[in-house]
Amino acid sequence: MSLRVENLTKAFGEHLLFRQLRFTIDGPAVLWAPSGWGKTTLLRILMGLEQPDSGRADGVGRVAAVFQEDRLCPQLTAVDNVLLVLPDGRAQRQDVQADFAFLGMEEEALTLPASRLSGGQKRRAALLRALWARADTRLFDEPFTGLDPAAIEKAADLLVRRCAGAPALLATHDRAAIQALGWPVLRLDELAGR
């Protein structure tokens, strides 16, 4: 399956983000641009949360996403937030817990409601929820925010393994994360037509 963006244009008033944007991805890629070039807006268009001024995106299908804000259910534990996206989460509880351990989350933190987790712990939960969800396309908006370098390495390793062979777009301007992933880079600032 391919994700195709065809002639996408988006502006907010006089501020043009991109014009006639075109690209196709068959697997994971990094979306890079300096702040203000429309990375988040493009992801929101692909999620169906924003409308472009013109153009279209095809092949998106069902989306799993990590937003800039974590969007966790605050009363649930990190594990239970991930299990929400699974039809029979109980069967996969141990595997989800193993992923949290891989990402360096202590067992004690897994017993706390999400409202009591640190920013980095919340990011791990948001990331794992997107990776465990059944999806055709995965979209990640700055998923490594709040993670230390060791956690970024582990998270990148998990992303590389879980996103292979399907469209995934990860928006970031973190060059260390880009290097850790090793994915092709789409430069929005070069494709934007400004």
Side-chain angles (χ1 to χ4, degrees), residues 50 66 74 87 106-107 172:
E50 277 298 326
V66 173
E106 297 170 2
E107 280 189 47
T172 190

Side-chain angles (χ1 to χ4, degrees), residues 108-128:
E108 183 181 323
L110 297 180
T111 66
L112 299 174
S115 62
R116 296 192 43 211
L117 298 176
S118 71
Q121 291 168 334
K122 289 177 182 177
R123 290 313 275 170
R124 289 170 174 87
L127 181 61
L128 287 178

Side-chain angles (χ1 to χ4, degrees), residues 7-156:
N7 301 317
L8 218 57
T9 297
K10 182 66 176 178
F12 290 105
E14 297 293 315
H15 181 65
L16 176 68
L17 292 179
F18 37 83
R19 177 189 299 126
Q20 302 293 308
L21 182 63
R22 304 178 86 176
F23 65 84
T24 300
I25 59 169
D26 299 317
V30 170
L31 180 66
W32 186 90
S35 294
W37 279 81
K39 297 184 301 291
T40 295
T41 301
L42 175 58
L43 294 183
R44 288 178 57 81
I45 289 170
L46 296 175
M47 290 177 217
L49 300 175
E50 277 298 326
Q51 291 300 312
D53 298 330
S54 62
R56 66 181 207 213
D58 296 318
V60 179
R62 185 168 42 182
V63 174
V66 173
F67 296 86
Q68 283 189 1
E69 59 284 348
D70 300 306
R71 299 196 182 189
L72 301 174
C73 293
Q75 75 280 14
L76 298 179
T77 66
V79 172
D80 287 332
N81 266 281
V82 174
L83 298 180
L84 281 176
V85 301
L86 299 169
D88 183 15
R90 290 173 300 188
Q92 286 132 332
R93 181 174 287 276
Q94 286 186 327
D95 293 332
V96 170
Q97 288 171 324
D99 278 353
F100 275 111
F102 178 76
L103 292 178
M105 196 110 146
E106 297 170 2
E107 280 189 47
E108 183 181 323
L110 297 180
T111 66
L112 299 174
S115 62
R116 296 192 43 211
L117 298 176
S118 71
Q121 291 168 334
K122 289 177 182 177
R123 290 313 275 170
R124 289 170 174 87
L127 181 61
L128 287 178
R129 184 178 56 196
L131 289 174
W132 276 92
R134 293 195 173 131
D136 303 305
T137 301
R138 297 184 197 284
L139 303 172
F140 306 94
D141 197 353
E142 298 291 353
F144 303 133
T145 301
L147 298 182
D148 61 59
I152 290 172
E153 286 278 331
K154 294 280 192 176

